[in-house]
Amino acid sequence: MAAETQASFGSLGEVRRAGEVLRRAQAAQGPVPSHEEVRSARQVVEAYRSAHAEPLDAAYRELQSCLISEGLDAEVSLRLKRLPTIEDKVRRLPTMDLSTMQDIGGCRAVLKSQDEVQRVVDRFRANSLERNQRPDKIRDYVVQPQESGYRAIHIYTRFHGRRIEVQVRTREQDSWAKIVEDVTSRTGVDFKSGDGPDEVHDLLRRLSELLSQRVPGQPPTDEPLLDILTRLAMMSALGHLVQSFGRRIGED
Amino acid sequence: MAPSGTIEFLIAFDHDARTQLSLEQFSDITQALKAYSEREEQYRSNPRVEVVLLGADSIEAIKVTHSNYFEDTVDALDNLRASLAVNSKPAPAA
């Protein structure tokens, strides 16, 4: 086995310090770390991330098991957080302690209705309580959506001592999240993290509200919704144009 | 590490060109993690390329949950617009 994959992150204190080094490297605030310090910190972060792989897989299996127990059919996937995203998060949140970051390992299930979502969440929590002898933390972003308009239910759980985030969403909620990613992808602006013009964020927020009000089986005609989507598409196309135009100018 | 049925998918996606630069599949998590690290290093200087490690039981599941990393799937914005527009009257001229 290659030496890099065997790299250990030592203690959680070391992980926290690695996070601080990466924050200083990006923010250029305080003493700027040397290349060697940054390289070393990245290795620690990678090793810490790798330690989430197997617990994440266990969480994913448990989520699937809950779906089966409820007789529900859904797509489930897992994702190990990208290093640039970890570094970015550490930079954006000055008090973030990397050793307590909750979403390095995440898995997600997309269900057909809020009712199905609730059944899965309830079962997962019950199993978790029995397994860990302590309750998972729940963030219900349906009852209280994030400022961006994000709606979903998050379960913050532990498997084999590692924190794992479980996202349970309806198709509409998932669709919205994908649209935010699409707009980000097309324009090169990180809307997902809150960057970009307010006009677009207002549209996205309104979009999330309208989608949340849709009743399953509702006929697909929806002028206000279609109007918002058209505006978003136009703005994304504009954003994409501006982005590639700006790059071409830069190349002159 | 205990074997598992989960397949790991390592994707490098170019957001500018909106194409998938590479898609690697692993059943061994250790190999997947090593490749993740290598691929991230490879594209570190290009912020428009996204390297991501996803896992599921099949590629079909990933194409549903993470359709934004596949070229042949219509993106979510167009998808939703299309499904709504089918039964809609044409939008009035601006």
Side-chain angles (χ1 to χ4, degrees):
Chain A
M1 223 176 266
E4 311 93 77
T5 56
Q6 289 281 48
S8 139
F9 54 84
S11 65
L12 291 180
E14 206 179 318
V15 173
R16 188 186 68 245
R17 283 189 293 279
E20 285 161 9
V21 168
L22 293 175
R23 178 181 293 126
R24 280 192 282 124
Q26 294 214 35
Q29 246 173 35
V32 179
S34 66
H35 284 304
E36 189 47 50
E37 274 184 279
V38 172
R39 210 176 68 85
S40 192
R42 281 197 175 124
Q43 277 182 346
V44 167
V45 174
E46 260 188 56
Y48 186 56
R49 177 179 69 181
S50 297
H52 287 74
E54 198 261 319
L56 175 55
D57 194 67
Y60 164 81
R61 297 264 151 239
E62 169 61 25
L63 185 54
Q64 281 194 320
S65 172
C66 290
L67 289 166
I68 292 168
S69 301
E70 289 294 325
L72 295 172
D73 197 20
E75 296 302 347
V76 190
S77 62
L78 61 81
R79 172 259 320 97
L80 263 186
K81 207 172 182 74
R82 307 168 54 222
L83 264 189
T85 317
I86 293 176
E87 295 189 25
D88 207 59
K89 194 164 179 176
V90 154
R91 179 181 58 80
R92 283 172 188 272
L93 305 170
T95 57
M96 160 126 316
D97 176 351
L98 184 53
S99 72
T100 62
M101 195 181 276
Q102 302 178 113
D103 62 344
I104 291 176
C107 55
R108 178 190 300 164
V110 180
L111 286 303
K112 288 201 274 312
S113 69
Q114 200 58 53
D115 184 67
E116 286 188 3
V117 166
Q118 200 56 57
R119 282 163 57 194
V120 171
V121 168
D122 289 346
R123 185 172 285 270
F124 192 98
R125 291 176 76 179
N127 290 355
S128 211
L129 185 57
E130 212 183 295
R131 191 182 61 249
N132 290 334
Q133 287 300 299
R134 89 193 233 187
D136 290 338
K137 190 168 74 177
I138 303 294
R139 286 284 178 264
D140 190 334
Y141 296 117
V142 178
V143 159
Q144 191 163 23
Q146 289 185 7
E147 210 192 305
S148 60
Y150 180 82
R151 287 169 158 83
I153 298 185
H154 286 198
I155 306 171
Y156 293 98
T157 186
R158 281 173 202 261
F159 275 81
H160 310 163
R162 297 284 162 229
R163 298 163 195 265
I164 301 293
E165 177 187 85
V166 179
Q167 298 172 357
V168 193
R169 303 173 173 175
T170 62
R171 287 186 185 161
E172 281 79 18
Q173 290 159 2
D174 191 59
S175 200
W176 182 88
K178 285 202 170 68
I179 286 172
V180 176
E181 286 183 11
D182 283 346
V183 174
T184 295
S185 172
R186 291 189 200 196
T187 61
V189 175
D190 194 353
F191 285 98
K192 207 170 157 194
S193 301
D195 292 348
D198 286 341
E199 291 84 351
V200 177
H201 285 291
D202 289 342
L203 282 176
L204 290 171
R205 214 174 352 252
R206 184 78 188 121
L207 175 62
S208 177
E209 272 168 40
L210 287 177
L211 284 171
S212 74
Q213 288 160 16
R214 282 173 72 74
V215 175
Q218 177 176 341
T221 43
D222 198 321
E223 294 295 341
L225 191 47
L226 192 52
D227 179 60
I228 289 188
L229 292 170
T230 305
R231 285 172 199 271
L232 277 171
M234 278 166 50
M235 284 185 167
S236 299
L238 264 170
H240 184 71
L241 269 173
V242 167
Q243 198 210 171
S244 36
F245 196 53
R247 254 203 330 281
R248 244 172 282 149
I249 287 176
E251 282 161 22
D252 287 346
Chain B
M1 212 163 270
S4 118
T6 319
I7 307 173
E8 306 290 331
F9 299 94
L10 181 60
I11 298 176
F13 190 82
D14 184 327
H15 283 281
D16 272 348
R18 295 171 71 72
T19 56
Q20 207 181 68
L21 298 176
S22 60
L23 166 63
E24 297 160 89
Q25 232 170 276
F26 303 87
S27 49
D28 181 318
I29 185 66
T30 310
Q31 286 179 8
L33 290 170
K34 182 164 180 287
Y36 198 8
S37 165
E38 285 168 5
R39 213 55 69 222
E40 279 185 325
E41 186 56 43
Q42 182 183 345
Y43 292 107
R44 183 181 298 290
S45 55
N46 187 346
R48 296 298 285 145
V49 174
E50 189 176 343
V51 175
V52 62
L53 185 65
L54 305 168
D57 284 353
S58 68
I59 187 79
E60 284 73 32
I62 295 290
K63 283 188 172 182
V64 170
T65 62
H66 290 85
S67 50
N68 44 311
Y69 297 118
F70 292 85
E71 307 158 23
D72 53 355
T73 55
V74 178
D75 69 29
L77 191 46
D78 289 340
N79 226 349
L80 195 48
R81 287 174 73 206
S83 71
L84 290 171
V86 160
N87 290 328
S88 235
K89 298 192 289 288

